[in-house]
Structure formats: structure tokens, C-alpha cells
Amino acid sequence: MDGYNLLALILFAIGMFFEIVNIGVFFANRKGGSSSGVPFFAGIFFCLALAAFSPTRHFWFVGMLFDVTLYSTIDTFILIRRAYKKSDEFRITVLVDNKECGEYKGEHGLSLYVEYGIDKILVDTGCGELFFENAEKMGIDLSQVTHAVLSHSHYDHSDGFEKFFEVNKKAKLYVRKEAGECYYSMHDDGMKYIGPKKGMLEKYKDRIVFVDREYESIGTWAWNMILLSHTTEGLSKIGEKAKLYKEENGEMIPDDFAHEQTLCIGSPKGIIIINSCSHGGAANIIKEVEKYYEGYSEKKNIYAYIGGFHLFKSSDEDIMEFANTLKEVDCQRIITGHCTGEHAFEILRQELGDRVEQMHSGMVIDIPSF
């Protein structure tokens, strides 16, 4: 056996070793472990073997193409298999809310951690690093978040993202294209800036996806996780009533909440609506969600609405109107806090009973899979 053939045999043996390891990882699939590094090494050694073996030296690229294609298929199959195995796992953890509970502190803001199959989604961060501290106490590793969402461009939902980008190096942040550092609220002593930290959107623009469509699919099961923008007309009237404004061309105009988006997740029980503040009107958001799902072949009921409803300054009449909307769509779980307000919560509780739950930091919300 000449030197080239011996070298080819050695390289082939090494390649086979990595092949066997890859197959073992595939079948064991321990703790969801990835085998993506294994085919890389296997491919290298097979290519070297082909190059060293003179009869096939001119065809080594065929081996490379075959190897890469084969293992890309295997890795894709592993990913799909893992996703399928976990597709019915659905849990939402409240990292931060206005209300604290036990060791989990609260602040004015909201941050939710959503586990859906193999996807891990962070919705908002509150206004500081408390979301991260509470996550650590609960054993949640935010470096493993796969997608992040900013519900709207206000500081009490965005100002912890600097910390998030520090601990997570891979997840993209989905933000409406209208989000910016231009949002204000009117107070007795004048306009107060309530947008994200100045310069944050520019600093982390490489990590941000600016959504410019009416809807955006995210996650492994993209058809089951949708970001919806507002389609209701005349929302600037709500902005004016709430004394919320945006700066445009040097002028202050009522906010139309084009920077706000709703996360909709499909579950066996029905649609889960997540909107941190529902500035555009919680009843309007329900109608927008229903309109989006009208195009589906089978009717999609709304199972849960999770988030803030921005009712803390609303009249009893407006709160009752929203309660009636929840009754009409037969929403089974209403989990709310942050900007809903104690008075509005009590009215909703009176009208809808145990379907209404008080949100708090550290709360774990399990969604049944059957």
C-alpha cells in the first residue's frame, strides 16, 4: 500500500469515527444536544481522504457536496424531531410586573418569557435589569432566548434590552418600523419623554428586525406565532385622550400607536393574545386578531388574553364595554396587570369571575396542550 492510499485510509477511518458519533448523537439526542459540529469534521476528513486517494482526487468536490447535503438533511431532521417532541409544551413566565411576589421584585413595567416548543421568546424587558435578576432566581437562562419582541416603543418595556443584548448574543429583536425615540406623554408640568433610551435603537441596529408588514411570522412553527400590527383606523383619538404623543417633523401629534404590535400564538385551546399595554384598545386588538384569523379554514377561538389593558384611567362604562367583548368571544383566561389598574381589575373580576387572574412578578402560566 503506497503512502497516498495509507493516508486516505487513515483519513477515511477518522471520518467514519465522526460519522458514528454523529449517528449516536442523532439517536440519543441527549438534552436536545446538537450534532452540527460533528458533520463539519466528518466532511473535512472525507474530503481530505478523497483528495489523498489518487483515483478519486479529481472528484473530491462530489464527496464534499454529498457529505454536506447528507448532514444538512440529518441536522434538519433532528431539529424538526426536537420541535415536534416539544410542540405541545407551552409556558409563560412573568419576569417583571408592577406587583412583586415573595422574592421576585416588581417595578413599573412588564417582561414576559414565553416557552413554546423549542422556541424561547422574550417579550419586553421592563425598565431596567430586574427582569434579568428575577430570571436568574427562577433558573431561566436568557442567553438561550431564540427571539425577542418589543411590544411598543416605551421605556418601561424597552430599557432593559441593553442588558439582554449583553447576555444574549444571537436572538433578533423584532420591533415595529415606526418604533423610535420620539414618544412623549403630557403632564401638568409639560411633555415628558417616555421612549427607549436615546441611541439604543441605533447602537443595536444589527440585532433588530424592523417589521414593516401588517404581520410577521417568527419561531420554528412560524404559522403558529404571529406579530400583528394595528389595522384599526382613528387610533390617534385614543392617543389624544390618553395624552400620549409622538414627535414628527418637529411637532407633537397624538400617538396612533403604529409602533405597537400584538403577539398571537396558536395553541390546541385556541389563540393566545399577548400585548403588554394594549394602547390601541384591548377590544380593538381582539377584533384585529379575529380579522386576521378569518382567512383560516377552521375557526380560531380566542382562548387567552395576557398583558396590560391600559384601563387605569378609564371610565366604568369603558371597562364594562371591554368586559362584554371578552364575554362575546368567550375568552377563557384573562391574565392582566401592569397598566390595567386595580379598579378595572375588580370590575373585570366581578363580570368574568375566576377567568380573570392577577399578574405578578414570578408568575408561571401553563397553557394546557389538550
Side-chain angles (χ1 to χ4, degrees):
M1 180 180 292
D2 60 32
Y4 276 120
N5 289 341
L6 179 61
L7 177 60
L9 182 62
I10 293 172
L11 293 172
F12 182 81
I14 295 173
M16 280 301 298
F17 168 77
F18 281 108
E19 291 248 10
I20 293 169
V21 172
N22 186 60
I23 292 170
V25 172
F26 169 69
F27 284 109
N29 196 24
R30 297 173 183 173
K31 298 181 180 179
S34 172
S35 60
S36 58
V38 177
F40 172 75
F41 286 108
I44 288 176
F45 283 107
F46 269 113
C47 289
L48 289 173
L50 287 166
F53 187 50
S54 54
T56 62
R57 194 173 303 157
H58 299 297
F59 304 100
W60 67 270
F61 62 89
V62 177
M64 178 189 294
L65 180 63
F66 173 77
D67 206 69
V68 171
T69 302
L70 174 64
Y71 283 105
S72 294
T73 302
I74 290 175
D75 280 347
T76 300
F77 185 75
I78 291 173
L79 177 64
I80 293 174
R81 182 171 176 265
R82 287 171 55 198
Y84 180 77
K85 286 174 64 178
K86 295 188 175 185
S87 61
D88 61 347
E89 296 182 12
F90 195 174
R91 170 175 289 181
I92 300 171
T93 303
V94 182
L95 300 182
V96 162
D97 178 64
N98 294 31
K99 285 187 176 295
E100 63 180 43
C101 183
E103 62 178 320
Y104 305 116
K105 302 303 180 184
E107 66 181 9
H108 179 73
L110 189 62
S111 178
L112 304 174
Y113 175 70
V114 182
E115 297 170 272
Y116 183 64
I118 63 172
D119 292 313
K120 297 173 176 62
I121 302 99
L122 179 69
V123 180
D124 297 346
T125 60
C127 60
E129 297 187 5
L130 185 58
F131 81 102
F132 174 74
E133 296 169 11
N134 284 343
E136 280 197 314
K137 290 177 183 177
M138 287 183 272
I140 294 173
D141 183 1
L142 294 178
S143 71
Q144 298 304 305
V145 167
T146 55
H147 304 79
V149 173
L150 176 61
S151 65
H152 62 289
S153 200
H154 286 172
Y155 77 96
D156 51 335
H157 300 266
S158 64
D159 278 6
F161 272 112
E162 285 189 324
K163 180 63 177 180
F164 173 71
F165 289 134
E166 177 186 321
V167 300
N168 184 296
K169 306 300 183 183
K170 60 183 181 180
K172 293 289 187 179
L173 171 61
Y174 288 79
V175 175
R176 282 298 306 172
K177 67 174 182 178
E178 295 84 358
E181 298 160 359
C182 56
Y183 293 98
Y184 294 79
S185 64
M186 174 67 80
H187 296 257
D188 292 339
D189 56 350
M191 288 287 186
K192 178 183 177 183
Y193 177 70
I194 59 171
K197 287 181 180 178
K198 296 284 188 178
M200 188 195 78
L201 296 176
E202 175 64 24
K203 181 178 179 180
Y204 297 102
K205 62 182 180 181
D206 291 341
R207 298 285 301 276
I208 296 174
V209 176
F210 289 96
V211 180
D212 60 358
R213 303 191 300 163
E214 287 187 3
Y215 70 92
E216 181 77 18
S217 301
I218 63 173
T220 303
W221 305 111
W223 58 88
N224 254 2
M225 202 176 307
I226 306 292
L227 288 172
L228 291 180
S229 67
H230 286 304
T231 55
T232 305
E233 296 182 357
L235 294 185
S236 57
K237 293 179 182 178
I238 297 177
E240 186 172 22
K241 184 178 180 180
K243 298 182 179 180
L244 295 173
Y245 294 84
K246 64 178 178 179
E247 185 178 12
E248 191 172 284
N249 298 323
E251 296 183 9
M252 290 293 179
I253 61 174
D255 195 347
D256 61 359
F257 308 114
H259 57 102
E260 185 171 64
Q261 54 187 346
T262 302
L263 178 61
C264 300
I265 304 177
S267 80
K269 288 286 189 177
I271 304 302
I272 314 296
I273 298 176
I274 299 175
N275 192 303
S276 295
C277 275
S278 309
H279 283 291
N284 289 332
I285 289 168
I286 288 176
K287 292 174 184 176
E288 291 168 351
V289 171
E290 286 186 316
K291 182 179 179 181
Y292 172 80
Y293 285 100
E294 278 178 0
Y296 280 61
S297 56
E298 56 183 85
K299 181 175 172 58
K300 300 287 185 179
N301 64 296
I302 294 174
Y303 172 69
Y305 196 146
I306 300 171
F309 300 146
H310 213 263
L311 296 172
F312 68 100
K313 291 182 179 179
S314 298
S315 65
D316 289 4
E317 183 181 358
D318 288 343
I319 298 168
M320 282 296 300
E321 184 178 346
F322 176 53
N324 289 331
T325 299
L326 292 169
K327 291 177 185 178
E328 287 171 9
V329 299
D330 197 26
C331 187
Q332 294 300 302
R333 298 188 72 179
I334 302 100
I335 305 168
T336 189
H338 182 45
C339 58
T340 297
E342 297 284 350
H343 181 64
F345 177 83
E346 290 303 323
I347 293 177
L348 292 175
R349 182 83 173 181
Q350 290 170 13
E351 293 297 317
L352 294 151
D354 292 342
R355 285 191 271 179
V356 181
E357 302 172 57
Q358 178 66 64
M359 191 182 290
H360 59 76
S361 295
M363 183 180 192
V364 177
I365 304 162
D366 284 312
I367 306 296
S369 59
F370 53 85

